[in-house]
Every structure is written in C-alpha cells, then in structure tokens.
Amino acid sequence: MDAVRRDRIPRLARGHDNATGLMDTHGLRELYDLVLRLSAVHDLDALVQEVVDHARRLLGVDVAYLALAEPDGSLVIRVTDGSLGPRLRGVVLPPHSGLAGRVADTGEPVQSADYLGDAALTHLGDVDRVAEDEGLRTILGVPLRLRGKVAGVLMVSQRAVRRFTAAESSLLTSLGSFAAIAIENAKLVTALGAANDRLERAVRLHDRLLAVALHGGAAEDVVVPLSELVPGLVVVADEHDEVRAAARDGVPVDAVLDGTPSAWFADPAARRTHVGDKTITVPVASANAYFGALQVVLAAPLDDAEVRLLERAAMTVALVASVERAVTDAERRTAGELLEQLVTRRVRDEPAFTRRARSLGLDLRRPHLAVVTPDLEALPRLRELAARHGGLVTTVDGQAVGVLRADEATVRAAELGTTGLAGPATGASALADAYDDASACVRVLEALGRTGSTATPADLGPYRYLLGQAGRDDASAFVGRTLAPLLAHDEDRGTDLVRTAEVFLRCGRRKSAAAEALTIHPNTLYQRLDRITALLGEDWQDGDRALDVQLALRLHRLRRELS
C-alpha cells in the first residue's frame, strides 16, 4: 500500500466514536473515499490484499484475512495481513465448516470470542491447527455479499480475547460489502479485456463512471455516457419505479419505464439481470438494499460484453446510493442519540452538548417545539418538517419525537395522528420539560379516547392538571374531597359505585341507557343509585355539584390510566 493510503488509516480509526459506539459521519465519508480508491484497482490479487490491509488497520487487530468462494461452495483464504507465517494463506475451508462457513451460510456477521474453544462451530483439525499456530482467539467474520450471494468472507482476529462492538462489526460489514463490488468490478474489467474491439470504450466508460462515484453524480451522469455505447434507450429508475433519468445516443430524453422492476427484484435472490423480449433490466442493489433498476429498451441485440457494461453501470449507481444511504443513516443515528439524551435528561455538560447539537443542526439558543406521536408512520413527515424548518427527529420509547423550529400551525397541518405538542422552549432543560408535557398530552388524549387528535397542554382544559406532578397532586386532593365516601365504599366492600356514577352521568342521567352500558338490570342500577345518593348527598346529580362530581370521576379514571 502506498504511503498516501497508509496515512489515511489513522483518520479512519479516529472516525469511530468510542463514547457512543457509533462511527461519525466524517469516518463514514473516509470509508467512502477508501472504497472508491479500491474500485480503481483492477488487479484482483492486489485488490484483495489492500482490502485485508485496510481491515486490519481500520479495526486495530492482529490479523486480517480474506477467503473467496469457489464453485463447489468451499472458501479459500487468498490473502492475509499480520500472519506469523505462510500457512494461513491457501487454507481451504470446506462448505459449512468453521466460522467462515457459518458466515457464508447465513450471510450475516459472526463473532467468536474464543474460536478454538467454541463448541457452537464445526471444527476441522487441519484448520484448527493453523489457527492454533497463529494463536488466534477472537475472530470476527463478515460476508462479501453481491446480488444476494456470498462471494467470500472477510475476517479479522485478535490473539487475545476481545469483544468487537456492534459499530466495529457494522464498519467491517460495510467494508466487506463495498469490497465485494470492487472485486466484481476487477473481475469484469479482466473479462472485458478479452473483448479487444470493446476494451477501449469499456475503459473510458469505467473512468467516467468512477468520476461519477467520486463526485457523487446524478443518474444522468450514468445513463448519458452509457447510452453512447449501448444501442437503445437507457433508463434508470428508483426503488418505486419512478424514472430518474433516460438517454439515447448520448442525449437525455423523457421516457417511461417498461414494466415494474421493483416487483421483479423484490426477492433478493431474484436480483439478477432480467432479459425480456425487448428489454434488458439490471437491478441497482447492494448486499442489503434495493435502490432501483437500470433498463435498456433494445434497438439491437446486446452481446455479453455490453450486458457486462450495464451491470457495471448498475453497480456504480448502487455504490453511490449505498454510501449516500450509509452517510444519511449515520447522521440520523448520531442526531437521534443526541435528541434522546436531551429529552431523557442525560445532558451532563450543557455547553458542550449545545455545541455538539449545533453541529447537527439543532441550535438550542433558538425556540423549538416538542412534538410526540405514537404513530411511527408519521416519522417521514416529521423528518420532512425538520428538513424544511430545522430541528431533529428520532424515536424514544416506541414513539416518534421531534424538536422542531416549525410553528404550531405548521405541525398541526402535517396531520401526524395522535400528537402532543409543547413549547416553544429554549435550552436543554426547557426542551426536556416540553417533551414531558408533549408526551403527557399524548397519554391524556389516548385516555380520553381522542385518538387522532393533536393537543397542547392548553387544549386539554381541566385535564391539563394531570400533566405535571403539582397538578396531579391538586387533582388528587379535589377527587378526594369530592368522592371520598364513594371511593371508601368501593375499597371496603368491593363494589363498583364509582364506575356506575360516571357511566350514569355520561349517559345524561338516563337510567335505561346507563343500565345497558353497564350491562346490569335496571333494578340493580336503581339500588346502586340509591346507595350513591346516601353516600354523596341528594344534590350529587344536580347543577354545579353534578359538574364537580362528573369532573372528579373523570380525573379519577384518567389518573389510574396514566399511572
């Protein structure tokens, strides 16, 4: 590895946030740069060697090695970095055996804290002897996945027991996924080299596609140069089958997609080139996600080399989309963690927290509205509000939570379902208070049966007293003064007079309706009402006293439901 590449490794390592267990956005962008440099290496042996060199230094481990899948399902260790001798290189791992076999079978990362003593794995004597000679203890393996298949396994190992974190596993998995694309690119370049009449054009397209990836180009930057080499209309669509760009003979055009690739490629196992009578469609996908499709409406038949060009172009689009999504997800996770710290009052150093929040787009010096909804389907709309007006959005305790610069009318117009609003508030402590109020509003709305409504504390009338401890204490005192004899009777004798009184008043003091709602005989209702009158007095059903009793009954029920 040249000096420039080695110099970048420490910067990548610093991208891992030890305090939070997450890689920050800068670290992901560094990984993006690293992967793009790997994609420019066309020699397969040199490429896989660079992958393991990067993996070892990226995670700070003793040994890294990479095995590629063979047609019979076995895995052959092609390259190593940090090994004590040559024995590890060239080791053949039969199908389904060892940690690498588990990774290949499941397509998921696998970690063993002490490999040689791990009874959950299928061990082979020859392989274990090599591991023992190398002194390998903790091993983490991740798949090199491409189009739903595992093309190989990337592994890192420590000669002492170590627990790799979820963030480290995710980082290595990302490198493995991108390495799979780069390896496939190298294989395709080698294969295209045999087509002498197309080699020069393929290399030119490769350089242009690489420039697109490096500069984060748009769909047009892929389909326009591709349409100069492929006879027909070239179309690229997103995962919802919406056309993003189209071109013919190097000129952008308007076009309609032929068919619904999202249905064809819904199953990851089916994400391979789809050949129709008049079209060829290639999935734009990474190991874990489907981003759309690249399609050619044919003006003439395509040979194998031209189909390979389509597949390489699709991989370039997938690489850009995958890294963009990874960066977006990392930013969202970091922002979500910060917002959760804010609303759960885990801010230790408020000045430092305020600076960090500002770097993520949340200026705590400005007033923000706290928004809480249990409807997680509202998350996209909340994020749109945050993107348009400023603020952060995450999930806390199974609810969608936003701290937004938008005003109350704008949030209400977004129709987020059952929603609590509070604020605007400024500063970490005040925003945490606003979140508590907004969460309580949601609970009160649900207890009142007003699901689908939006409310601030001021919208809840007398029930707003239930939002804070002082108000709940006052409400408890009011309920006690008004209903004490009734509550004591139910407690001592196991009766249901409190509910009877509430249902009777809610039914407008209509005895037949109340008896039906309570599913009791009218005579039973009359007996209960007589007992209630004896306990509360003759005027409990009339005038202001009836209002007090009905409010106390409602507060009593809500207190129990909110506790």
Side-chain angles (χ1 to χ4, degrees):
M1 190 190 308
D2 59 58
V4 173
R5 288 178 182 166
R6 289 185 185 276
D7 286 345
R8 296 185 71 97
I9 295 300
R11 294 177 62 197
L12 279 165
R14 287 195 300 271
H16 184 273
D17 183 349
N18 292 325
T20 64
L22 295 172
M23 257 215 9
D24 62 20
T25 304
H26 177 69
L28 272 174
R29 294 190 185 279
E30 291 285 358
L31 176 59
Y32 179 26
D33 292 342
L34 184 155
V35 172
L36 292 177
R37 293 199 305 276
L38 290 179
S39 70
V41 180
H42 299 158
D43 181 270
L44 182 59
D45 291 335
L47 174 61
V48 293
Q49 185 65 58
E50 290 216 29
V51 170
V52 297
D53 290 348
H54 285 308
R56 181 187 175 202
R57 290 163 178 76
L58 198 60
L59 268 67
V61 296
D62 295 326
V63 186
Y65 46 105
L66 186 148
L68 292 180
E70 296 296 313
D72 64 358
S74 64
L75 294 159
V76 179
I77 297 178
R78 295 285 296 267
V79 292
T80 69
D81 186 45
S83 59
L84 298 176
R87 291 189 61 193
L88 191 57
R89 187 190 300 264
V91 168
V92 178
L93 307 170
H96 318 301
S97 64
L99 184 142
R102 179 75 61 84
V103 175
D105 289 343
T106 63
E108 299 292 338
V110 175
Q111 179 175 173
S112 177
D114 197 350
Y115 169 75
L116 290 174
D118 195 337
L121 299 174
T122 302
H123 289 270
L124 295 173
D126 293 342
V127 176
D128 282 7
R129 278 190 288 275
V130 174
E132 187 174 5
D133 291 343
E134 286 285 344
L136 304 182
R137 299 291 300 277
T138 300
I139 301 177
L140 169 64
V142 300
L144 274 60
R145 289 179 294 193
L146 195 65
R147 301 193 189 95
K149 295 182 178 180
V150 176
V153 177
L154 175 60
M155 289 165 281
V156 295
S157 180
Q158 200 78 359
R159 293 191 173 97
V161 173
R162 164 183 174 178
R163 181 67 185 175
F164 291 103
T165 66
E168 289 172 323
S169 177
S170 176
L171 175 58
L172 192 65
T173 300
S174 296
L175 178 58
S177 297
F178 296 139
I181 295 174
I183 289 170
E184 181 71 5
N185 269 342
K187 290 179 178 178
L188 287 171
V189 169
T190 301
L192 286 169
N196 294 328
D197 59 333
R198 298 189 180 275
L199 178 59
E200 184 178 350
R201 288 191 298 168
V203 171
R204 287 203 310 268
L205 178 64
H206 168 75
D207 292 340
R208 293 182 70 172
L209 294 181
L210 183 59
V212 170
L214 283 168
H215 297 95
E220 293 88 344
D221 298 320
V222 174
V223 299
V224 169
L226 187 60
S227 70
E228 296 173 358
L229 302 179
V230 177
L233 172 67
V234 182
V235 182
V236 65
D238 62 19
E239 65 269 32
H240 306 296
D241 297 328
E242 295 291 332
V243 174
R244 293 176 56 194
R248 180 188 286 111
D249 299 325
V251 179
V253 296
D254 293 327
V256 177
L257 195 65
D258 187 351
T260 55
S262 62
W264 305 342
F265 302 133
D267 181 0
R271 288 175 191 164
R272 56 181 63 90
T273 300
H274 184 278
V275 180
D277 294 336
K278 299 180 181 179
T279 61
I280 291 181
T281 309
V282 183
V284 176
S286 69
N288 302 310
Y290 173 68
F291 302 109
L294 184 63
Q295 185 178 86
V296 175
V297 181
L298 299 173
L302 299 186
D303 60 24
D304 288 343
E306 289 168 324
V307 174
R308 300 289 87 74
L309 286 176
L310 288 179
E311 291 173 341
R312 287 191 60 206
M315 283 192 289
T316 297
V317 178
L319 177 62
V320 173
S322 184
V323 172
E324 286 177 347
R325 182 169 294 183
V327 170
T328 300
D329 288 346
E331 290 173 339
R332 187 171 292 165
R333 285 195 302 271
T334 303
E337 182 219 20
L338 179 136
L339 184 52
E340 185 174 7
Q341 283 183 327
L342 172 67
V343 300
T344 56
R345 302 179 188 276
R346 290 186 289 114
V347 177
R348 300 291 179 264
D349 183 345
E350 186 159 340
F353 184 87
T354 300
R355 289 192 297 271
R356 185 179 173 215
R358 194 179 311 133
S359 71
L360 293 172
L362 178 63
D363 189 348
L364 296 177
R365 301 170 302 178
R366 295 172 175 267
H368 287 75
L369 195 67
V371 183
V372 177
T373 173
D375 185 358
L376 294 183
E377 292 183 0
L379 267 174
R381 296 195 295 279
L382 262 179
R383 289 185 175 127
E384 288 175 10
L385 289 172
R388 190 179 311 124
H389 301 281
L392 296 179
V393 173
T394 191
T395 57
V396 178
D397 295 333
Q399 298 190 113
V401 176
V403 173
L404 306 177
R405 288 277 293 151
D407 59 33
E408 184 180 318
T410 300
V411 177
R412 286 180 183 272
E415 297 182 354
L416 302 173
T418 307
T419 305
L421 305 178
T426 304
S429 178
L431 276 171
D433 290 341
Y435 163 76
D436 289 343
D437 286 347
S439 298
C441 283
V442 169
R443 295 197 300 273
V444 172
L445 287 173
E446 291 176 335
L448 291 171
R450 290 167 53 184
T451 55
S453 301
T454 298
T456 65
D459 296 325
L460 298 177
Y463 305 114
R464 68 181 181 274
Y465 297 124
L466 299 176
L467 301 185
Q469 187 58 52
R472 286 194 291 271
D473 292 343
D474 290 343
S476 296
F478 172 70
V479 169
R481 289 194 305 271
T482 308
L483 304 177
L486 214 55
L487 296 172
H489 189 280
D490 279 353
E491 178 70 21
D492 294 340
R493 306 192 183 188
T495 54
D496 199 15
L497 297 183
V498 169
R499 180 167 175 267
T500 300
E502 183 180 7
V503 171
F504 175 67
L505 292 175
R506 189 168 67 239
C507 290
R509 289 172 287 188
R510 291 180 292 115
K511 294 181 175 64
S512 58
E516 184 177 351
L518 290 165
T519 64
I520 60 177
H521 193 276
N523 288 339
T524 303
L525 175 66
Y526 298 149
Q527 293 171 5
R528 290 186 184 181
L529 293 176
D530 288 343
R531 172 56 57 186
I532 294 170
T533 300
L535 292 168
L536 296 183
E538 294 289 341
D539 62 343
W540 76 274
Q541 304 179 40
D542 303 320
D544 292 342
R545 180 76 192 286
L547 291 175
D548 286 346
V549 170
Q550 189 166 14
L551 178 58
L553 290 166
R554 180 69 67 87
L555 287 173
H556 174 65
R557 177 171 58 84
L558 290 178
R559 278 192 310 143
R560 288 185 299 171
E561 293 180 2
L562 294 174
S563 61

